[in-house]
Structure formats: structure tokens, C-alpha cells
Amino acid sequence: MVKKMTEIISKNLNFSYDNKTKILDNLNLTIPSGKFSLLIGPTGCGKSTFLKLLAGLYPKYAGKASGKIDLGNLKKAMMFQNAGEQFTMETPRQEIIFALENLQVNKNEYEKRLHKAVAFTKIDKLLDQKIVTLSGGEQQKVALAVLVAMNVDIFLLDEPFASCDPEARKFLIKKLANLRDQGKTIILSDHVLSDYEEVCDDLFKFTGKKIVQLTENEKNNLLQANNKKANYTFSIPNENNASVFTLQNTEIKQNRLLLKQSKLKIYKGKTTLITGPNGVGKTSLFKALTKMIPYSGSLTYKNKEIGKLKARKYLLQVAQIFQNATDQFLNITVKDEINLSKKNRKNKFFSDDKINEALAYLDLANHLDQVVYSLSGGQKKKLQILLMLISDQEVLLIDEPLSGLDHNSTKKVTHLMRESQKQRKQTFLIISHELEGLAEWCDYRLVFNHQKLEYVNK
Amino acid sequence: MNPSFESFLVLIISLEISIKPSLVTNLLIIIFALIYLIIRKIKIKSLLTLIFVPFIAAFTIFATLFWFSPKPDLYYALNLSTRVYVYTLTISCVTIDTDETKLARSLEQNIHLPSKFAYGVLAALNIVPRMREAVQQIRTAGMMRGVYLSFWSPVLYFKAILVALNSAENLAQGMESHGYVEGKERSVIIPIPVKKSDWIISAVILIIVNISLFMFK
């Protein structure tokens, strides 16, 4: 059967949230169907907005639009940047049932589609677990499975791999390429450009309220440049060095056993990178270290059992930069947040001038009066990291600091983190799937797998 | 038993015993509800909670009407305090059989409640654990920045409400992105059947309750 080539067309499209600043200005764009299109652009440029416009969620739920979007009668569905906020039901299975009932799919067809979607995304083990207990990366896999089960024509994916480990990422990109080969249209936004070289058909770039398609040459140059694999080396710590955290017969459980560690030290004044597959328990480890979940065995901070320390005092020394930026905010505007962090300064590293400089450096200086929740994903992340660097804790547990940041912002954020760590001799523990920009300056690397943490040298 | 039938049965019984006092009926319902819960293998801990927590309310009612009333009436006091147990135990009989997903499906399929209500409520219920986690997270985030948020702190609730509002809006978008359109017909993948036995059991229980209500004091 020969399908007529349809195109996704936007004509004279304008969009703004507040009638003042336009996000899209008279956009005329054609995206081919049945292709793998990648959408790139700096943090906060409007990638999520554009995808939500294509998905038909905007302007219904926010903002004002004029102009036309024509999807050529193709069915579409979208996966959100924060996958966890997209689910109505308790478990992945129930969510797939809910979505298929909405599409008036019958029971036989459901069985087939469920089977296909589960095999496709390899989520069989997650199918009947509660979604709230799944890790960020697992939720993204489940969100993709729902779209596969819905069998839509256009897959709109907003940073679908932000919390995925490299293997899961490669696996899912390959799978999306399979879908494309079956005639589906993939439109995806991402900040990380690796692994797309063989797969991506068209590359679209946001520049100044418009989206332009890059030429074949520009596309290849950009994707190849990003496909270079760097080899990183790390040192193996000397066991006699001073430690901040010591684990001894420590166990952490969340539904299932996540960590069973007989002995481990985390060293003082050093930056330790923690990597490991999705759902292995990296964030849960941080939760145990910040007294949010219990542990068994011994887990000490400067030789004192963490379970027995007073949270109010302890958390002023050991703080976390959460995976989800909004979790960190306590006030309304950017300025209020900055002022709150200023109150906690103990030394002069972040002087008022230095803070203003950092705000300008992170392109946040013009957003001081903005409500923090209305910042873009990347802007929230930048602000969050700055806030936590200002209030100078001895130990910072940093969970996926680079997710949702473009290349330029990544550079700036890592520069600030590095400077702050080196000059104040802070202890950093960083969870990240993205090594670029981090691995060069981290002292040690811990690999978390099979319920164990282990130092490695590469 | 069908969740909607079970819920309505419990609702009717509760209404009836509120209108027509009968201590014997109350006690019979309590006994049968307890037996049913034990047959359904209720956990000992839940059973004890079910007995002791309502006891506070039941005892208060009894004390007010019997010891602190100018005209103490033992029958009236016992009748009202046992009602507390009738309500809690019969509702437990429903919840031990049904989870909220099944009830929502049943309300949609059997009672033809608009899906907006059924799934709206369900989605809201699924936010509850997220809210609980959010409150803990907010408190921790506060302590990390030198702000102690007590359980009565307005900032804590302001943040929690923001989280809820934000989740609610995302939820509406999330439902739509998974194909939900208000008022559009949906198929049934997991049917919740109404069996003959549902009608018969409900009718029999109602008849027995009514006979007992009017026969015994």
C-alpha cells in the first residue's frame, strides 16, 4: 500500500504566554512525515512549547496562538519532559488500559498492543509496579511504552532520555528508528546530540523565535562532532584519606533491595561521580543520605550515625540538589530565592557582586522578578544549582545537574560548580548520565550496579 | 460482588439504620461484617485499628448520652455508639473487596457515571501519595536552606498547594495526551460485570436488614 506523503505544516504560527514576549514569531515550517526529526536549541527557547502546540495541548492549556498547524490528519501523542506528571493511573498496565480505552480499542487488540509495547520497551518487570515508586528513567520508558501501545502516527517526545543511562538511551533511539522504519513520524527534542548520527533524518534548530532546518552538511557536521567518544580516567582513592561518609553493612530498600554494601568510604573535599543504570537506586542513595528514607546497617557522616543526627543541623551541612528543580524552590520570584540563599552564606566566596555576575553569566539577570515556576526547564535548573552553591554546605549531593541543559549552559554550570568546589574544598557527590563537562574534573568515579558501589579508574 | 452494588448497599443500610433505630440490627450487622472481614482474611493489625480507632468516637457518644446527659438513656446511647461501628465496618467490607481503580471502572460501566468524574477522582487519589512525598521533600528542602517548616507553616501549605495545582494542570494535559477526550465514548478492556448474584445477594441482605429493623428494637 502506497501511503500519500503527508507533511506537518505550520503556517504563520505565532505563540506567546503573556502577549508580551513572543516565543514563536511567524513560523513557517514543514516537517516531513515518516521521518526521524530532531529539534535542538538553547535552554528555554521554546522546544517544549512547540511540541505542545503540535500535540494540540497549547493554546488550550496555556498561552495565545495565531496561525495554523496542519498535521494532515495524522494521530499524535506526546511524551512530556517530566514523564512522572503524565500518568493518570497507578501502574503502567493500568495506564496503558486507560489510554487504549480512550482510543476505543477492544480487548483482543489491547492484548496484542500491550504485548508489543512491553516487549518493545522492555518494561515487563515494571508493568505492575506503582508508577510513583519508579525511577525517573524507568518512568520515561513507561511513557514511551504508552505511546507505542497507542499506535499513533506522530510521536512527539520532549527530552525523552534526560534521565536514561547510556545503554537505555542507545536502546531507545534504536527502537525509535525502528518505529520510523515502520512509517511512524518521530519528532524529538534533545540537548545531547550523541547516538543520532545514523538515525536522524532531519535536524531542526531553534534560532531567535524561528525554527530552521539545517542542511544535510550542517546536520552531519554537528552530529559527527558530537559522536566523538572521549576516554576519561579517574584515580582510585587511597583508603587512608579522610572520609565524609562511611558505609558499613549498609542496606537500602525501596520495594526491592537496592544497595547492600559491606564497606565503602566517600572522601572529603573530593568530587565523586556516581553512574549506573536506570532504577538501580542512585537517587535512593541520596535520599538515605538526607534522611528522607531509612536504611539498615551503618551509614555515618564524620563518624556519626546519620539516623541519629538531628535533621535540622545535619541538612545545613549536607544538602542535595534535587533531580527536579522545582522541588528546591521555597519562594515565589527569582529575587526572593536568591535573597533566601544569601542569608545562609557562611563565607565570602559568593559576595553580592559575585552573585550578580553569576546571574548574568547564567542568563538569569533579566528574570529576577519572574515567578520561579514560570521559568523554562533549563532556567530552573541553572537557578537551582546557583542557589545551592550560594548557601555553602560542606557536602552537596547533586542529582543529574545537567539534565535539560544545552551545551552552552552545561559549560557554564559545570564551570561554576567546579570553581566553587575547588576554592571551598567542598565534597561533591554527583549523579549524572552525562559525562561530558563533568568527567574531566571529577576525582573519583563510583559505579553503582548489582546493589553495590565500586570505585573504577575509567 | 460488583463494587457499585456493594457501595450502594452499604449506603442504603447506613441511611436506614440512621432513620430507624434498632440496636439488635446494629449488632447483627456488626457481627456479620466482622465475620465477613475475617473470611476475607483481613490483617490482624487492620482489624485492631478498625476496632480501636472508632472506639474513641463511640465511647465519646456513649459517655455524652449516658453519663453526662440530664436524662440518661442506655438504649439510645448504645444505639448511637454502635452506629459508628456499623458505618466503619460496612465501609471496610467494601474497601477490602475493591480498590479505587475497580470502583471507578464500575461506576463508569455499571452506573454510567461520566468518565470525567470517575477518572478525575482516580487521578486525584493517585496524587495523594505524591503530595505526601512532596510535603516531606519541601520540609527537607527547607532545612537544607536554613528554613524550618513546621506542620502548621503557611509556606509548607503554599508550596504543597502549588505542587497540587501544578500536578492538576499537568494531569489534565497528561490525560489528554493519552487520548482522553471529555464526553467521547470509551471502550471497555476490563469489564466489571453485573451478575445475577449481585442482584440476589443485595436483595436478600436488604430484606433481612429491613425485617430485623422492624421486628427488633
Side-chain angles (χ1 to χ4, degrees):
Chain A
M1 190 176 77
V2 182
K3 240 188 184 173
K4 203 182 140 243
M5 187 71 168
T6 31
E7 284 171 327
I8 296 149
I9 301 166
S10 88
K11 255 195 196 142
N12 307 332
L13 185 65
N14 289 286
F15 183 86
S16 74
Y17 283 103
D18 54 3
N19 277 333
K20 276 183 261 161
T21 3
K22 277 190 176 176
I23 308 285
L24 291 170
D25 191 8
N26 206 24
L27 176 69
N28 290 296
L29 186 71
T30 307
I31 303 175
S33 72
K35 299 277 183 191
F36 194 119
S37 301
L38 182 60
L39 187 62
I40 61 169
T43 307
C45 66
K47 296 188 294 294
S48 303
T49 309
F50 181 63
L51 288 173
K52 285 203 171 172
L53 275 163
L54 290 182
L57 295 170
Y58 289 170
K60 185 176 172 190
Y61 287 97
K64 283 207 169 123
S66 66
K68 223 177 107 184
I69 292 179
D70 181 13
L71 301 182
N73 280 330
L74 295 175
K75 283 180 287 160
K76 80 278 173 187
M78 178 174 171
M79 174 175 157
F80 295 174
Q81 195 167 9
N82 190 346
E85 290 174 341
Q86 200 173 353
F87 302 107
T88 311
M89 310 293 282
E90 223 179 355
T91 64
R93 186 195 297 275
Q94 298 290 358
E95 187 68 33
I96 290 174
I97 292 174
F98 171 71
L100 294 189
E101 284 183 338
N102 290 334
L103 301 180
Q104 302 183 40
V105 168
N106 65 31
K107 196 167 180 218
N108 283 335
E109 178 69 14
Y110 149 74
E111 308 262 0
K112 275 187 226 152
R113 291 204 194 175
L114 176 78
H115 188 74
K116 190 181 155 203
V118 168
F120 195 81
T121 48
K122 291 194 180 157
I123 57 156
D124 36 334
K125 278 187 192 136
L126 311 177
L127 206 48
D128 292 304
Q129 285 190 37
K130 286 191 180 176
I131 291 172
V132 269
T133 64
L134 300 182
S135 77
E138 288 172 331
Q139 288 180 349
Q140 290 188 315
K141 277 191 190 173
V142 171
L144 183 63
V146 177
L147 300 199
V148 172
M150 287 171 76
N151 195 24
V152 289
D153 304 308
I154 307 174
F155 285 68
L156 302 163
L157 309 157
D158 193 2
E159 303 264 348
F161 316 118
S163 339
C164 284
D165 59 82
E167 265 80 79
R169 177 188 163 86
K170 277 193 194 120
F171 169 77
L172 289 173
I173 290 179
K174 214 186 244 169
K175 287 295 181 180
L176 287 172
N178 280 350
L179 285 172
R180 185 256 331 259
D181 298 339
Q182 293 164 24
K184 308 285 185 199
T185 308
I186 313 289
I187 303 174
L188 171 152
S189 78
D190 204 340
H191 285 119
V192 186
L193 298 182
S194 57
D195 304 316
Y196 286 116
E197 200 193 337
E198 314 261 294
V199 179
C200 169
D201 298 308
D202 298 288
L203 190 61
F204 294 89
K205 189 176 179 182
F206 244 97
T207 31
K209 295 167 194 179
K210 292 238 195 305
I211 304 170
V212 289
Q213 182 169 8
L214 300 189
T215 63
E216 193 65 18
N217 255 343
E218 286 173 314
K219 180 193 105 181
N220 289 337
N221 285 342
L222 205 57
L223 293 181
Q224 275 162 12
N226 273 279
N227 229 5
K228 272 186 235 143
K229 287 235 166 64
N231 277 323
Y232 303 109
T233 50
F234 302 87
S235 35
I236 297 287
N238 178 345
E239 276 200 36
N240 298 323
N241 289 349
S243 67
V244 270
F245 296 114
T246 310
L247 287 78
Q248 204 149 22
N249 300 323
T250 317
E251 279 187 24
I252 298 173
K253 280 183 195 146
Q254 285 271 285
N255 290 328
R256 62 206 147 103
L257 181 69
L258 295 172
L259 179 75
K260 189 181 165 81
Q261 187 84 23
S262 55
K263 205 171 165 51
L264 184 85
K265 278 182 176 178
I266 288 165
Y267 297 90
K268 198 178 166 194
K270 300 287 181 186
T271 303
T272 307
L273 183 65
I274 303 178
T275 57
N278 289 148
V280 78
K282 300 184 294 293
T283 301
S284 297
L285 172 69
F286 278 8
K287 283 189 175 169
L289 288 172
T290 52
K291 295 173 72 80
M292 296 213 5
I293 58 169
Y295 61 87
S296 60
S298 163
L299 177 58
T300 61
Y301 169 70
K302 293 184 174 171
N303 297 323
K304 288 189 188 111
E305 197 60 47
I306 290 174
K308 289 180 188 155
L309 291 170
K310 275 239 161 69
R312 277 172 87 163
K313 277 189 184 162
Y314 171 67
L315 293 175
L316 282 176
Q317 296 173 44
V318 177
Q320 185 179 344
I321 298 183
F322 299 115
Q323 197 168 358
N324 185 0
T326 44
D327 289 342
Q328 208 97 46
F329 300 140
L330 297 167
N331 276 320
I332 320 280
T333 66
V334 175
K335 208 198 273 164
D336 295 339
E337 288 286 352
I338 296 281
N339 286 335
L340 176 65
S341 278
K342 278 184 184 176
K343 272 195 223 159
N344 289 316
R345 284 177 295 181
K346 278 170 237 139
N347 62 34
K348 297 210 176 78
F349 182 75
F350 270 103
S351 62
D352 288 3
D353 288 342
K354 169 112 185 137
I355 291 172
N356 290 335
E357 205 180 286
L359 281 168
Y361 180 60
L362 295 174
D363 305 313
L364 290 169
N366 294 328
H367 297 274
L368 285 180
D369 292 317
Q370 202 172 331
V371 173
V372 283
Y373 301 94
S374 69
L375 296 170
S376 82
Q379 288 166 340
K380 282 182 197 155
K381 197 85 216 168
K382 289 193 281 188
L383 174 66
Q384 175 203 16
I385 292 173
L386 177 63
L387 292 174
M388 295 312 288
L389 290 178
I390 294 174
S391 53
D392 39 2
Q393 267 90 1
E394 276 176 54
V395 181
L396 272 182
L397 311 171
I398 308 173
D399 196 354
E400 296 287 356
L402 307 182
S403 73
L405 293 182
D406 58 80
H407 191 71
N408 200 15
S409 305
T410 297
K411 250 192 197 158
K412 291 179 173 180
V413 164
T414 47
H415 172 77
L416 268 185
M417 282 170 34
R418 183 178 188 174
E419 191 190 357
S420 156
Q421 193 272 334
K422 286 275 177 294
Q423 300 208 13
R424 293 189 284 182
K425 299 268 178 294
Q426 283 174 298
T427 307
F428 278 7
L429 263 174
I430 306 176
I431 294 175
S432 185
H433 285 119
E434 219 169 301
L435 299 184
E436 203 196 319
L438 280 177
E440 294 91 357
W441 58 281
C442 286
D443 298 290
Y444 308 127
R445 178 177 182 182
L446 271 173
V447 171
F448 194 163
N449 208 353
H450 308 297
Q451 289 133 16
K452 278 200 174 47
L453 287 153
E454 199 181 351
Y455 284 104
V456 295
N457 59 7
K458 56 181 178 183
Chain B
M1 199 174 167
N2 183 294
S4 298
F5 271 70
E6 223 175 353
S7 309
F8 276 98
L9 184 62
V10 164
L11 187 70
I12 293 169
I13 292 175
S14 302
L15 278 176
E16 282 207 71
I17 63 149
S18 312
I19 297 164
K20 177 94 176 63
S22 162
L23 182 58
V24 177
T25 314
N26 288 359
L27 292 174
L28 281 175
I29 293 172
I30 291 170
I31 291 164
F32 280 109
L34 282 173
I35 292 172
Y36 184 72
L37 288 173
I38 291 164
I39 291 172
R40 300 286 310 188
K41 299 203 173 102
I42 188 173
K43 282 189 198 129
I44 298 285
K45 205 182 149 198
S46 328
L47 187 64
L48 292 178
T49 323
L50 268 180
I51 292 172
F52 285 108
V53 174
F55 183 76
I56 302 168
F59 182 78
T60 319
I61 292 170
F62 183 84
T64 318
L65 295 177
F66 189 64
W67 288 313
F68 300 110
S69 161
K71 281 189 220 152
D73 180 345
L74 181 63
Y75 174 80
Y76 190 51
L78 281 174
N79 188 21
L80 281 195
S81 46
T82 48
R83 264 184 210 175
V84 175
Y85 279 105
V86 173
Y87 299 143
T88 50
L89 290 172
T90 47
I91 289 168
S92 325
C93 289
V94 178
T95 53
I96 201 169
D97 285 343
T98 312
D99 58 37
E100 52 270 36
T101 314
K102 203 169 152 199
L103 180 63
R105 285 213 173 94
S106 171
L107 291 174
E108 185 196 9
Q109 291 172 26
N110 311 135
I111 313 290
H112 300 290
L113 190 77
S115 57
K116 183 169 70 170
F117 291 108
Y119 287 95
V121 170
L122 199 58
L125 282 174
N126 286 335
I127 292 183
V128 172
R130 218 172 292 167
M131 288 296 297
R132 205 176 292 149
E133 209 173 294
V135 167
Q136 194 199 6
Q137 184 125 39
I138 295 161
R139 296 191 76 215
T140 310
M143 284 189 266
M144 285 170 183
R145 300 177 68 195
V147 181
Y148 182 72
L149 302 171
S150 57
F151 274 106
W152 51 87
S153 152
V155 177
L156 184 66
Y157 291 99
F158 172 73
K159 266 291 291 200
I161 288 167
L162 270 184
V163 172
L165 283 178
N166 193 33
S167 306
E169 197 194 296
N170 284 321
L171 205 67
Q173 291 188 32
M175 282 172 79
E176 187 164 334
S177 72
H178 283 173
Y180 180 80
V181 179
E182 208 183 307
K184 197 177 119 186
E185 207 176 309
R186 305 173 72 249
S187 63
V188 173
I189 289 174
I190 298 198
I192 308 286
V194 178
K195 292 186 217 128
K196 241 184 213 162
S197 61
D198 291 325
W199 287 102
I200 296 169
I201 294 171
S202 308
V204 170
I205 292 178
L206 269 185
I207 290 168
I208 295 173
V209 168
N210 277 293
I211 291 173
S212 163
L213 267 178
F214 288 95
M215 293 274 291
F216 305 110
K217 213 186 158 215

